[in-house]
Amino acid sequence: MASKEQEYHYFKEKISFLESEVERLSPYEHEHRLLRDVIASSLLQGHLKLGELPQAIRLIQDDDLFYTYAWRFVEAKGDCQSGIIILKMLRDDLNYLFSIGKMSQKQYSQWLERWLSFLERGRIAFKGEKDFERYFQDQKEANRGLFNDYGL
């Protein structure tokens, strides 16, 4: 019985500690959102390139905002080469984070769907660009099952 009581007190202390940490860190949430908005805006305007951000920042939890804004910029500029770089970077980030256990199978699958979505958008935006068409075909060949699952 003493063991259950010790366990109860241990978890109660842990919960109390975590609650105090949340309270201590909550004032920084606003600054985090402001910084996130500045980074996103800089990507959208082309003042910052996605590759200049650390990998840990590019993929924040399940948020693809930075990739989306970087993609919108290269799509608007018609910059096929930068689009390919973004796609390669996203795929490399996903594979790396999954391989080291920082991403679950479910998260990995969700991010692959986003990657495919960017790839499909690129196919439309960069139609006629030989480099992009070659990249798309290479990816289609390398990921045949994935492409078939998504009807690409």
Side-chain angles (χ1 to χ4, degrees):
M1 194 64 143
S3 144
K4 292 275 186 197
E5 195 171 303
Q6 286 175 331
E7 196 174 303
Y8 171 77
H9 287 295
Y10 170 78
F11 284 117
K12 189 173 179 177
E13 286 176 18
K14 281 287 194 191
I15 290 169
S16 178
F17 171 75
L18 290 173
E19 287 172 340
S20 69
E21 283 297 291
V22 167
E23 188 175 319
R24 182 181 71 81
L25 294 172
S26 63
Y28 299 105
E29 183 180 2
H30 178 69
E31 283 84 6
H32 170 76
R33 272 195 242 121
L34 289 176
L35 180 58
R36 182 176 171 268
D37 292 347
V38 168
I39 291 171
S41 178
S42 295
L43 288 166
L44 187 59
Q45 296 172 22
H47 299 296
L48 180 66
K49 291 186 182 208
L50 195 61
E52 295 171 331
L53 296 175
Q55 184 181 51
I57 302 297
R58 292 192 297 254
L59 288 175
I60 298 176
Q61 295 168 355
D62 290 327
D63 187 355
D64 65 354
L65 180 72
F66 295 156
Y67 272 99
T68 298
Y69 278 29
W71 183 264
R72 285 181 183 169
F73 176 75
V74 300
E75 197 174 86
K77 288 290 193 182
D79 187 351
C80 149
Q81 292 302 318
S82 293
I84 292 171
I85 290 169
I86 289 171
L87 288 165
K88 286 179 179 179
M89 192 180 318
L90 177 56
R91 189 66 193 258
D92 289 347
D93 285 352
L94 296 177
N95 290 338
Y96 175 72
L97 292 172
F98 184 69
S99 73
I100 64 169
K102 295 281 185 180
M103 185 177 282
S104 71
Q105 178 68 45
K106 182 179 179 182
Q107 290 171 311
Y108 183 72
S109 296
Q110 290 169 339
W111 275 100
L112 278 179
E113 287 181 32
R114 291 175 182 155
W115 176 74
L116 285 169
S117 172
F118 285 125
L119 196 58
E120 181 64 19
R121 285 178 62 175
R123 197 167 105 179
I124 295 165
F126 305 123
K127 187 176 182 119
E129 293 281 346
K130 290 186 186 344
D131 289 341
F132 194 87
E133 288 177 9
R134 184 177 28 240
Y135 176 75
F136 184 88
Q137 289 306 317
D138 290 347
Q139 294 308 306
K140 188 171 184 176
E141 203 170 294
N143 302 286
R144 188 173 310 276
L146 184 62
F147 275 65
N148 288 340
D149 290 347
Y150 290 95
L152 296 175

